[in-house]
Amino acid sequence: MRLRAVEAGAEVVTRTVGGFGNTVGVNQQSVVDRMALTIESYTPDLPGEHWAEIAPFVREAVSACEQKTPYSARELLVASARHVHWCWQTAGLPLDRDVIFRREVIAEYIAHGCSHMSRASAGNRRSQLLRMSELLLGPAHQVTRLAPMPPPDPSSPYTAADVVALRSWADGQKTTYRRINCHVLLGLGMGAGLSASEVIDVQARHVHMDADGVLIEVVGTRARVVPVLAEWEAALVEVASAALRPDMFMFRPTRQTTHKNLTGNFVDKTTPSRVRANTQRMRATWIVTHLTAGTPAKALVEAAGVDSLEALTRYLRFAPNTDAAETRRALRDASRLQGDLLL
């Protein structure tokens, strides 16, 4: 004998076997309740006052898409929270589904709001948001076909205002350990132009100090010695001098493991800022700083750890134009300056 009953909104199949009732089936209501709890309790790593403004909008959007996509509720929450925050805070768009989830707006966010992500991660983020767009806006809005994900573009340097924001980001961390690591990351990235993998490998014994400033000894495949820009020396000197052992790592010295995403994962766990710390952009800023200052090309090539000047030409477009008269004078006097050096 088979009976079908509904108890507390849950569908339960009950079958009597040999006079005893055995319950088989799935309590669908409990699944729904768990999903609702996940959506309601989710809190992203965003400024609290910002999340308070956009949370209802994000939660309603995810609730409308839940169990209708291949993605979990948490995956949709992560994707949509970042997207909505960028649209609302950076792009200044209203919290309107017909605006926020338009395909063109999603494409704009992926192009300009996901520079810290790998191409694969950005592509996955775009797929999640486009699936939400299809569900939230309907087929009438799916009239444009987005272009394929573009190839990676040279990292753009930080502006002067961005650098100020990054310093504030480092100073504003909640713990001393995080503050110190943020400043070390900025010092090695912005002050010495090191890549993420090079930042990870620097130990206290690789920081050399003398009357002329601070030098970073880079180990590995691009071994070299890099003079640190003066404005970024202080934190590196302080941390290296306080190290208990010469082989202690400068960045995240208490780490148990080392992996390629160490810097990115650390930044993700810090108190966020409007400007995200990114080692590629730090290196670009360091290179452009030297190009602007007129650092000798050979010296810059060696300090950057590249094979030729061609590796730096992509950054020339970020260097400011010099005064026409000054440029002409420099080009005219080049041979005289060379003669002075030969004497």
Side-chain angles (χ1 to χ4, degrees):
M1 180 178 181
R2 190 179 292 259
L3 301 174
R4 185 171 296 276
V6 177
E7 298 177 0
E11 185 177 17
V12 180
V13 178
T14 303
R15 179 168 40 197
T16 301
V17 180
F20 296 94
N22 295 332
T23 301
V24 296
V26 178
N27 188 331
Q28 296 178 338
Q29 185 63 39
S30 64
V31 175
V32 173
D33 289 342
R34 286 197 299 272
M35 296 297 182
L37 180 60
T38 297
I39 295 172
E40 187 62 31
S41 61
Y42 174 73
T43 303
D45 189 14
L46 294 172
E49 63 273 18
H50 291 184
W51 178 236
E53 289 287 337
I54 66 174
F57 180 84
V58 171
R59 287 171 176 150
E60 288 176 7
V62 173
S63 296
C65 299
E66 177 52 32
Q67 294 186 301
K68 298 177 184 177
T69 78
Y71 308 107
S72 67
R74 183 168 182 81
E75 288 174 317
L76 296 183
L77 285 164
V78 172
S80 57
R82 293 291 180 183
H83 170 62
V84 172
H85 182 258
W86 182 87
C87 291
W88 173 73
Q89 181 67 17
T90 303
L93 298 177
L95 295 178
D96 184 330
R97 283 189 189 180
D98 290 343
V99 176
I100 297 289
F101 287 99
R102 289 188 67 85
R103 293 168 66 84
E104 297 86 349
V105 173
I106 292 172
E108 190 74 7
Y109 161 65
I110 297 298
H112 300 289
C114 298
S115 59
H116 62 287
M117 301 174 68
S118 66
R119 290 187 64 198
S121 296
N124 189 51
R125 174 68 55 85
R126 186 172 79 159
S127 297
Q128 293 167 344
L129 292 171
L130 288 177
R131 188 68 187 105
M132 292 185 70
S133 173
E134 293 170 5
L135 293 169
L136 294 172
L137 305 188
H141 290 271
Q142 314 306 319
V143 294
T144 58
R145 181 178 179 82
L146 298 183
M149 290 291 293
D153 200 31
S155 298
S156 59
Y158 290 114
T159 65
D162 290 340
V163 174
V164 172
L166 287 170
R167 287 186 185 277
S168 297
W169 162 74
D171 289 334
Q173 296 305 309
K174 296 178 181 179
T175 67
T176 301
Y177 182 74
R178 282 190 179 180
R179 284 194 295 273
I180 291 173
N181 279 289
C182 288
H183 280 293
V184 168
L185 179 59
L186 294 179
L188 295 175
M190 207 85 76
L194 303 194
S195 66
S197 60
E198 291 170 343
V199 167
I200 292 170
D201 289 337
V202 175
Q203 299 174 359
R205 62 191 173 94
H206 297 141
V207 181
H208 305 281
M209 298 157 274
D210 59 25
D212 294 323
V214 178
L215 299 169
I216 300 297
E217 179 186 349
V218 181
V219 298
T221 57
R222 297 192 299 183
R224 62 195 187 278
V225 176
V226 185
V228 178
L229 291 170
E231 63 179 302
W232 300 102
E233 291 177 337
L236 299 179
V237 170
E238 183 177 353
V239 173
S241 300
L244 300 178
R245 302 187 315 274
D247 62 346
M248 284 192 69
F249 289 112
M250 289 288 289
F251 178 70
R252 295 195 64 184
T254 62
R255 72 179 94 145
Q256 300 299 315
T257 60
T258 296
H259 52 85
K260 65 179 181 179
N261 296 323
L262 190 70
T263 58
N265 289 350
F266 169 79
V267 171
D268 287 340
K269 294 177 182 178
T270 60
T271 303
S273 165
R274 71 169 184 83
V275 180
R276 188 179 191 277
N278 177 283
T279 52
Q280 286 182 300
R281 295 194 67 190
M282 291 183 204
R283 179 172 168 82
T285 306
W286 176 81
I287 291 172
V288 173
T289 297
H290 280 290
L291 291 174
T292 303
T295 299
K298 184 178 180 181
L300 181 55
V301 167
E302 292 174 353
V306 295
D307 296 329
S308 68
L309 193 59
E310 292 180 1
L312 305 178
T313 55
R314 61 177 178 169
Y315 299 102
L316 288 174
R317 64 191 177 99
F318 298 114
N321 295 324
T322 56
D323 177 75
E326 182 182 343
T327 299
R328 180 175 177 180
R329 185 164 52 251
L331 292 173
R332 181 174 183 270
D333 293 344
S335 59
R336 180 182 60 78
L337 292 173
Q338 183 184 31
D340 292 342
L341 291 173
L342 294 175
L343 292 177

